[in-house]
Amino acid sequence: MRDTPPSTDTVDCDLLVIGSGAGGLSTAVTARKHGLNVLVVEKDSMFGGTTAFSGGVLWIPGNPVSRRANQKDSRDAARSYLAAEAGAAFDAAAVDAFLENGPKMVEWFERETSVRFVPTLYPDYHPTQIGGVDVGRSILAAPFDIRELGKDMPRLRPPLATITFIGMMFNSSNADLKHFFNVTKSVRSFFYVARRLASHLKELVRYRRGVNVTSGNALAARLAKSALELGIPIWTASPALRLVTRDGAVVGAVVSRDGREVEIRARQGVVLASGGFSHDIERLRKAYPHIARGGEHFSPVPVTNTGDGARLAEQAGGTVPLRYRDAAAWMPVSKVPMRGGRFVAFPHLLDRYKPGVIGVLRNGQRFTNESNSYHDVGADLIRACEGQPETAMWLICDQGTISKYGLGYAKPAPLPLGGLLRKGYLMRGRSLAELAQKCGIDANALEQTVRDFNAGAQHGDDRQFGRGTTSFNRYLGDPEHKPNPCVAPVAQGPFYALKVVMGDLGTFDGIATNVEGAVLREDGVPIEGLYAVGNDRASIMGGNYPGAGITLGPIMTFGYITGRHIARRANVPAGSRALQGTRQEKVHAAR
């Protein structure tokens, strides 16, 4: 579905937002509710950005959703945790703004918009670090029926195909997945799954997609609904080509729309929210060490995240320094073969935590605690493969483990594995030596690694890396497996393996801004009228990944901060004529 093209080659608004993920839409909604008329343009044919692919979790210390669930937190503890996590990259002013405004943002969006959250039980990723907690800082977008988007429903980016089951989304909880794992073992789980499948199949027949969405798809849909209800046009398939400047200030942008250029004149400025540079190959060669040494990178984020915001900022005099040791939120992925010879990324979010799964390098040796966060495992993988042409690991398990939990895109029994074995996604060997030979792994080393691992695993111990010793490790393990939910022997063949390479969930390095989001020149002076939010803006996490939702939490918080800041500079009080009347109607008519 496409919007009706504008009738002229120029459009006026107060604020232009380039990008329709959580960063762009939270900024747009905030600015609109505070009196500005806003236009959002999106390069892709669908809105939602990387957010629509994400887990939809926000890390917000002291948030009201967790407080309502009687989960305790301390702002001082959160600040200490972030200081320890970011190290030398700790930005006190930005962190203080985040901690002050994050809870306010959550309360405001729940009160003023269609955005809703539910609490989670996620521990911080490093709960034993100073200031870390076992529960209370991560919240999740509430499920949503996307039929509420009306005619705009087809324009919502669908979830990543590899993390759905025939397009059906799972709730981001062990409780939901547990029923699918136990479908052949529990009558209750069987009927739960049967009801879910029946409802989903009806949706596919009627709408050709699932309409009851969860996770990031729910967050993107809720933000889009809020924007559209406020009369904010979202122009899809409308990439920004260049900024328009006057006397050093940014006053608009030229957008390609329906085959012609449209100049958008933005009285209060332009916000860059294009999703970072995860597919900007030239910039990645400088930022990602495994690409610099000739290795592979396969990102699951939308292919349209090609660094447009960074390019536009640099053309206006801004800077995009590569300052973090880890320039992105690393995500180990496997490449799932699809029709037509193409591949789709499968993010390894759950299988690494399950008992009976280990990860090895080509040399047949383990290199990390597989039950650590995706970012930590990815960072360890990059460094373990330093000096090698390939950055990859193999997840290994036995028949009992793959039947119970699945492995990567391969689903648990009773679903068959034959197709993925024939396509080469999965490898199988009657022995570890045969499996190693098929994968190109050192067979003797793999056999020794498994012997050493099993010696402790039979007692629930990981003697090398301590899997299952933190609350986060255990959270995504199997709570019914005793004594350690993350550790079991790799014992009974046949054995299985799949190859995992590096991907990312978005970039950490980004455009240099001040706290309010104004893009800075090299000398630290803000560029008048130009702002950056979302993954276009440099992360406040210093290249580390402290907990579930540390991307979306700051993204929405600083979208809220930036939207309010721009509206205040414009001296337009909330509820003014702009919110009620003619100027937004003029922009809306341009849809």
Side-chain angles (χ1 to χ4, degrees), residues 484-507:
N484 188 330
C486 304
V487 175
V490 182
Q492 187 65 47
F495 300 95
Y496 294 84
L498 63 79
K499 186 177 182 180
V500 175
V501 299
M502 281 311 307
D504 68 85
L505 296 178
T507 44

Side-chain angles (χ1 to χ4, degrees), residues 25 47-48 51-52 114-115 144-146 149 156 213 215-228:
L25 291 180
F47 53 72
T51 302
S114 295
V115 176
F144 186 70
D145 187 333
I146 61 174
L149 291 171
L156 172 67
V213 301
S215 305
N217 220 239
L219 180 60
R222 287 180 174 280
L223 283 166
K225 180 175 185 285
S226 302
L228 294 166

